């Protein structure tokens, strides 16, 4: 896809999905600014992605750090941020009666507050140019809750509501807002954490856990990082111009609503 002349800000870009999305924009000719929690992770991702990629660490739960990262991105791109992809997120796992307040708050802070903060500071930049594409990350678990993931499911459902509200709020400014609801995605930190938790809670080997999940998927496989990247780039491209307020399933048919 052709993103020549466009600029993109991608959060959580030291992780597998965020890094691959940033790389996809670079291949399409965009200039890209990335963030993640630690500067060494950001520097390593910038080096791996190559091209017109820059980055700065930011804790997405800290408003001043987010403000600084957005300011640095805008300064690097001549005052433009055309595309914001809010990938940054964490997952937690456990029975609801065992979850602590701190665990609940941490999942909400990274997934919801982080998405809010970056959106808050990027929107004025987009409004000034009367153009923007915001792509948030929800989850299959935000559509249909998942056992042992009650706080994560609740946070990801909140992202869908946030996305829909912004689609109405920002439409007159040429800003489209959508979100992705991926299913379980191979070779990601989320799947590593979740699968380890299910191995422990269900007392089954990892291979059996994978079989249990893929058996529920009509296409009979887990998502690949490339599947998620492809839909993200489409939403950011001219092909997504008439789409806003959508929560798009990328689940191999596991979710159909």
């Amino acid at each position: 896809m052709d993103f020549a002349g466009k600029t993109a800000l991608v959060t959580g870009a030291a992780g597998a999905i965020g890094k691959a999305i940033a790389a996809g924009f670079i291949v399409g000719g965009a200039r890209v600014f990335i963030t993640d929690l630690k500067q060494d992770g950001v520097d390593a991702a910038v080096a791996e992605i190559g091209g017109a990629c820059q980055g700065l660490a930011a804790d997405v739960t800290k408003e001043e750090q987010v403000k600084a990262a957005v300011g640095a991105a805008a300064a690097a791109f001549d005052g433009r941020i055309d595309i914001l992809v809010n990938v940054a997120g964490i997952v937690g796992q456990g029975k609801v009666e065992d979850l602590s307040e701190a665990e609940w708050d941490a999942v909400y802070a990274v997934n919801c507050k982080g998405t809010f903060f970056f959106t808050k500071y990027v929107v004025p930049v987009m409004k000034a140019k009367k153009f923007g594409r915001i792509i948030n990350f929800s989850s299959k678990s935000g559509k249909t809750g998942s056992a042992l993931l009650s706080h994560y499911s609740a946070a990801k459902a909140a992202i869908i509501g946030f996305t829909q509200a912004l689609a109405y709020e920002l439409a007159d400014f040429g800003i489209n807002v959508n979100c992705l609801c991926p299913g379980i995605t191979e070779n990601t930190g989320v799947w590593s954490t979740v699968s380890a938790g299910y191995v422990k809670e269900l007392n089954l080997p990892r291979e059996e856990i994978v079989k249990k999940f893929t058996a529920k998927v009509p296409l009979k496989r887990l998502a690949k990082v490339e599947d998620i990247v492809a839909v993200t780039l489409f939403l950011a491209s001219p092909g997504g111009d008439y789409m806003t307020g959508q929560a798009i399933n990328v689940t191999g048919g596991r979710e159909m609503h």
Side-chain angles (χ1 to χ4, degrees):
M1 295 184 183
D2 185 4
F3 293 105
K6 291 291 189 289
T7 64
L9 171 57
V10 183
T11 76
I17 292 176
K19 189 190 305 179
I21 289 169
F25 283 127
I26 290 289
V27 170
R31 295 182 293 168
V32 178
F33 197 94
I34 67 171
T35 74
D36 211 294
L37 184 59
K38 296 182 179 180
Q39 190 63 46
D40 57 351
V42 171
D43 292 341
V46 167
E48 184 176 342
I49 293 165
C53 182
Q54 302 178 49
L56 179 68
D59 181 339
V60 301
T61 71
K62 307 296 184 185
E63 187 168 6
E64 287 306 311
Q65 292 187 32
V66 171
K67 183 178 180 180
V70 172
F77 299 151
D78 306 315
R80 294 191 70 95
I81 300 175
D82 300 304
I83 302 159
L84 169 64
V85 187
N86 284 306
V87 182
I90 60 171
V91 66
Q93 196 169 35
K95 297 173 183 177
V96 67
E97 65 266 32
D98 295 332
L99 293 178
S100 67
E101 181 179 4
E103 288 172 316
W104 181 277
D105 288 348
V107 166
Y108 258 81
V110 176
N111 290 287
C112 296
K113 189 186 288 187
T115 296
F116 159 63
F117 281 156
F118 269 95
T119 301
K120 173 181 178 178
Y121 287 103
V122 167
V123 160
V125 181
M126 291 181 170
K127 281 185 174 180
K129 304 298 183 182
K130 297 191 181 303
F131 177 87
R133 297 290 179 265
I134 299 174
I135 302 162
N136 298 322
F137 266 66
S138 179
S139 167
K140 172 266 172 201
S141 297
K143 287 282 188 81
T144 300
S146 299
L148 305 178
L149 297 173
S150 59
H151 49 343
Y152 180 75
S153 296
K156 289 302 189 180
I159 292 296
I160 295 174
F162 182 64
T163 296
Q164 292 171 343
L166 290 179
Y168 279 109
E169 183 175 330
L170 301 176
D172 289 344
F173 300 94
I175 302 170
N176 293 17
V177 190
N178 294 287
C179 70
L180 266 65
C181 299
I184 294 170
T185 307
E186 296 176 332
N187 302 317
T188 63
V190 169
W191 175 231
S192 177
T193 299
V194 169
S195 61
Y198 279 122
V199 167
K200 178 182 177 181
E201 295 288 345
L202 301 179
N203 195 29
L204 291 171
R206 191 176 184 279
E207 294 75 15
E208 289 301 314
I209 297 296
V210 172
K211 287 180 181 179
K212 285 178 69 70
F213 278 100
T214 54
K216 300 175 183 179
V217 178
L219 295 184
K220 294 296 186 290
R221 67 172 176 85
L222 302 182
K224 299 177 182 177
V225 170
E226 293 83 357
D227 298 322
I228 312 306
V229 173
V231 180
T232 304
L233 296 183
F234 169 74
L235 288 173
S237 78
D241 281 354
Y242 199 56
M243 297 181 68
T244 196
Q246 302 305 302
I248 300 172
N249 301 321
V250 191
T251 66
R254 179 70 178 88
E255 291 293 321
M256 296 189 182
H257 68 97

